[in-house]
Amino acid sequence: MTTTNIPKLTPLFKIKTLLVSTLFLTVTSCAELQQIATQYPGIATAGTVDISGGLKEALNNGITKQVSKLTATDGFYKNEAVKILLPEELRKVDSGLRKMGLNSLADEGLKVLNRAAEDAVKEATPIFVSAIKNMTITDAKGILLGDTSAATTYLQNSTTTALYSKFNPVIKNSFSKVGADKVWTNIITKYNSIPLVNKVNPDLNDYVTNQAMNGVFKMIAVEEQNIRTNIGARTSPLLQTVFAMQDSK
């Protein structure tokens, strides 16, 4: 049998091979970095900028400037963007009461739902502030390159489940505090006493909890969009620096 002599790799050859491979990877990485720098020139210099801090400040501004408006009397009730309307199941209740001449009771029923949300948001604002602190640097860079509500969407997606579990008892307490539970017990009792109607027993705590949370996120989104699109709304050096990067994406 004929054997082929395969030359052994000398240590010097191995070192040269390693150096060539390393050089290739370095050149490739530099090319990729250059592509990113060309596509997003602002992000390429973001190493020394606290991007997550800027986005957290923007979200905190949303809570301070916009969500606080919801805690005032009529903050929900007279704000068409977030006003809590009756769930579909209760629209027939509203209609039935008005046919019986109980317009004032029907109006009061809608108003107290919004009053409960206004009261609850006042109690629950620290929950949202705490949730913002969990944003990572990786999250922040993705959000900065997102659409005009990317930070709000991130907050909503990452906190809704936990917020609901904390927010729902607050809503329940607010129902009692503003008298909504008594008003709606009276409304449901009167409606269910109407002959031939299908009786209702809605879970208003669950409904108002979800509607109130949606209202809060809507108002945070208002401020985020304002900061992203209005340079004058960037009221701190950090906001100005971070969102200037977004402008150049």
Side-chain angles (χ1 to χ4, degrees):
M1 176 184 289
T2 303
T3 58
T4 303
N5 292 325
I6 301 175
K8 294 183 178 180
L9 296 178
T10 66
L12 180 60
F13 182 83
K14 291 179 180 180
I15 292 172
K16 288 181 178 179
T17 302
L18 179 60
L19 288 173
V20 170
S21 299
T22 302
L23 179 61
F24 174 77
L25 290 173
T26 301
V27 170
T28 302
S29 297
C30 288
E32 291 174 351
L33 288 172
Q34 183 59 43
Q35 184 179 4
I36 292 172
T38 301
Q39 188 174 3
Y40 304 116
I43 301 302
T45 60
T48 60
V49 178
D50 185 5
I51 295 176
S52 62
L55 289 169
K56 289 175 183 179
E57 184 177 337
L59 288 171
N60 278 316
N61 282 356
I63 292 171
T64 302
K65 295 181 180 180
Q66 300 295 339
V67 177
S68 60
K69 296 176 183 178
L70 300 178
T71 66
T73 300
D74 292 329
F76 272 88
Y77 190 59
K78 291 188 177 180
N79 183 340
E80 293 301 320
V82 297
K83 182 178 182 180
I84 298 176
L85 303 176
L86 293 178
E88 186 174 354
E89 181 184 7
L90 291 182
R91 290 172 194 166
K92 59 185 179 183
V93 174
D94 182 87
S95 176
L97 291 177
R98 295 184 189 281
K99 287 179 181 178
M100 295 171 62
L102 299 173
N103 291 35
S104 60
L105 181 59
D107 291 339
E108 183 66 12
L110 181 59
K111 184 180 291 185
V112 293
L113 293 186
N114 287 272
R115 288 287 182 269
E118 291 157 9
D119 181 68
V121 169
K122 188 183 307 179
E123 298 291 331
T125 296
I127 298 172
F128 293 94
V129 174
S130 176
I132 291 171
K133 295 178 181 178
N134 294 325
M135 185 187 297
T136 67
I137 294 175
T138 302
D139 293 328
K141 288 186 177 180
I143 291 167
L144 189 64
L145 299 176
D147 59 30
T148 54
S149 61
T152 305
T153 299
Y154 162 80
L155 185 61
Q156 188 169 13
N157 290 342
S158 62
T159 65
T160 293
T161 301
L163 284 172
Y164 181 93
S165 65
K166 293 182 179 180
F167 206 32
N168 188 252
V170 177
I171 289 288
K172 186 175 182 179
N173 181 63
S174 295
F175 254 66
S176 177
K177 185 177 177 180
V178 304
D181 51 353
K182 293 180 180 179
V183 170
W184 274 97
T185 296
N186 186 25
I187 288 175
I188 298 301
T189 299
K190 285 187 180 298
Y191 178 78
N192 286 342
S193 68
I194 300 174
L196 304 178
V197 301
N198 293 324
K199 299 186 185 303
V200 296
N201 185 30
D203 184 351
L204 287 175
N205 284 333
D206 174 75
Y207 176 73
V208 174
T209 296
N210 283 308
Q211 293 300 307
M213 289 174 61
N214 288 341
V216 168
F217 288 124
K218 281 184 180 180
M219 297 307 290
I220 293 174
V222 166
E223 185 62 18
E224 180 189 358
Q225 185 171 26
N226 186 34
I227 291 174
R228 283 185 182 270
T229 59
N230 179 10
I231 295 176
R234 301 168 189 174
T235 54
S236 75
L238 180 58
L239 286 176
Q240 292 164 11
T241 301
V242 169
F243 285 94
M245 295 177 189
Q246 172 222 250
D247 296 339
S248 64
K249 72 179 182 179

